[in-house]
């Protein structure tokens, strides 16, 4: 199929893919805003509208843009709501889920457009909309009503559950990114991680971190120890430099970090790294 019939889909896919390295591998606010704003406010909805209406005759450019913005906002909010129940609302889960959804729907839109006769396919250089049929009008109104209702429900739910307490507990690689972890090492070689904990519990909390490791040594901020306790105020963030090594070779050796809250004996949160030691 000639590019003129897919230029919009190609640009949407390209912008979506460029957002991944902009978020995960750079600290450039300009790049994140430039790519993130159109992605969040337009591209997911545009992909959905194009999948429903792959031709260029039933929607005008203005209608297509309006529906795309409305559906994008609704999709982003619904995605955030689902993540709050099955994972967590954070940059990377939002990015992964929205990117996956958008690229999948763009593929569906491309397939549906490809199956149309050439004269009916949408062309950015020639959009001659005809009057929509009453059934399409009803469908679009219904979609917009559902989007508005869903958006309102999500806002209300977010307001109700905004006080739900939680803690962030995660590992970063040596460069301070969620990548480049020390996963292949030699016996006695030292690896380095950053362990990050943020208190969103709405009150001051006493935490204990325990490092579980077989046949090795762990250092917390330069001190060899397997446990540390401290208190974080609400909203406070604490990070530790973890240096570690292994005394025996083995595949998939586990370096585990267990977080305890207050006087609880049950593990509150857990994160770990597996390392192949030669």
């Amino acid at each position: 199929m000639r590019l003129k019939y897919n230029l919009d889909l190609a640009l949407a896919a390209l912008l979506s893919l460029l957002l991944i390295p902009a978020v995960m591998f750079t600290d450039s606010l300009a790049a994140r805003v430039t790519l993130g704003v159109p992605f969040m406010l337009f591209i997911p909805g545009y992909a959905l509208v194009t999948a429903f209406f792959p031709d260029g005759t039933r929607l005008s450019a203005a209608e297509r843009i309006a529906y795309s913005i409305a559906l994008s906002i609704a999709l982003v909010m619904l995605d955030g709501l689902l993540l709050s129940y099955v994972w967590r609302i954070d940059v990377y889960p939002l990015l992964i889920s929205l990117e996956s959804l958008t690229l999948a729907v763009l593929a569906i839109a491309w397939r549906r457009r490809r199956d149309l006769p050439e004269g009916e396919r949408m062309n950015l250089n020639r959009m001659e909309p005809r009057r929509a049929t009453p059934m399409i009008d009803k469908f679009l109104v219904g979609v917009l009503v559902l989007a508005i209702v869903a958006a309102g429900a999500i806002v209300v739910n977010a307001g109700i559950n905004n006080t739900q307490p939680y803690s962030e507990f995660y590992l970063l690689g040596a460069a301070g990114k969620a990548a480049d972890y020390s996963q292949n090492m030699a016996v006695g070689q030292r690896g380095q991680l950053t362990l990050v904990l943020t208190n969103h519990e709405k009150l001051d909390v006493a935490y204990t971190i325990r490092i579980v490791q077989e046949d090795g040594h762990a250092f917390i901020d330069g001190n060899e120890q397997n446990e540390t306790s401290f208190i974080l105020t609400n909203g406070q963030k604490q990070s530790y430099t973890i240096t570690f090594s292994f005394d025996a070779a083995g595949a998939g050796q586990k370096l585990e970090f267990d977080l305890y809250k207050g006087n609880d004996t049950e593990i509150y949160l857990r994160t770990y790294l597996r390392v192949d030691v030669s």
Side-chain angles (χ1 to χ4, degrees):
M1 195 190 304
R2 286 178 290 179
L3 181 60
K4 68 177 182 179
Y5 296 116
N6 292 293
L7 182 59
D8 57 330
L9 300 181
L11 288 174
L14 178 62
L15 288 173
S16 300
L17 292 172
L18 287 176
L19 182 60
I20 297 175
V23 171
M24 299 186 69
F25 304 116
T26 72
D27 294 322
S28 173
L29 180 61
R32 293 182 177 185
V33 171
T34 301
L35 296 170
V37 169
F39 178 80
M40 300 288 284
L41 297 182
F42 183 76
I43 293 178
Y46 183 81
L48 190 60
V49 170
T50 307
F52 277 118
F53 302 103
D55 59 281
T57 60
R58 290 186 290 177
L59 291 178
S60 68
E63 288 173 325
R64 197 172 288 270
I65 291 172
Y67 296 142
S68 298
I69 294 174
L71 288 173
S72 287
I73 295 172
L75 286 172
V76 170
M77 290 185 171
L78 285 171
D79 184 60
L81 177 62
L82 291 174
L83 285 175
S84 69
Y85 288 105
V86 302
W87 199 355
R88 70 176 189 273
I89 301 179
D90 201 355
V91 174
Y92 296 124
L94 280 171
L95 178 66
I96 293 169
S97 56
L98 283 175
E99 287 279 357
S100 301
L101 173 64
T102 301
L103 293 174
V105 177
L106 284 172
I108 295 171
W110 173 82
R111 179 63 183 268
R112 293 203 64 203
R113 185 181 291 175
R114 188 193 67 174
D115 292 339
L116 290 175
E118 186 170 319
E120 295 181 14
R121 296 170 187 164
M122 179 180 164
N123 185 345
L124 292 178
N125 298 322
R126 178 180 56 82
M127 295 186 66
E128 299 175 356
R130 296 196 298 264
R131 181 174 179 81
T133 63
M135 182 61 70
I136 293 174
D137 283 337
K138 292 178 181 179
F139 171 77
L140 292 175
V141 170
V143 169
L144 287 177
V145 169
L146 288 175
I148 293 171
V149 171
I154 291 169
V155 170
V156 172
N157 181 78
I160 294 174
N161 295 320
N162 189 44
T163 58
Q164 183 176 355
Y166 68 100
S167 297
E168 290 183 272
F169 189 54
Y170 55 91
L171 295 171
L172 298 176
K177 306 288 185 182
D180 300 325
Y181 299 103
S182 301
Q183 293 182 293
N184 293 281
M185 300 171 57
V187 171
Q189 179 184 354
R190 287 198 177 187
Q192 185 172 303
L193 295 168
T194 300
L195 183 65
V196 182
L197 173 63
T198 306
N199 178 8
H200 298 288
E201 303 286 348
K202 307 301 180 183
L203 72 167
D204 297 352
V205 177
Y207 292 104
T208 297
I209 296 175
R210 291 176 184 165
I211 302 176
V212 180
Q213 178 188 23
E214 294 183 4
D215 298 323
H217 303 272
F219 298 81
I220 302 176
D221 286 343
N223 300 313
E224 184 171 5
Q225 58 189 109
N226 294 320
E227 181 176 317
T228 182
S229 299
F230 50 91
I231 296 175
L232 293 184
T233 60
N234 181 47
Q236 185 177 358
K237 180 178 180 179
Q238 180 68 48
S239 61
Y240 292 98
T241 299
I242 307 296
T243 307
F244 60 96
S245 63
F246 293 91
D247 295 334
Q253 295 202 46
K254 190 175 182 180
L255 179 67
E256 180 179 306
F257 301 88
D258 297 336
L259 179 69
Y260 297 84
K261 188 171 70 168
N263 296 319
D264 294 344
T265 57
E266 296 286 334
I267 297 174
Y268 181 50
L269 292 171
R270 172 185 291 147
T271 186
Y272 64 87
L273 179 73
R274 289 198 177 273
V275 181
D276 291 332
V277 183
S278 60

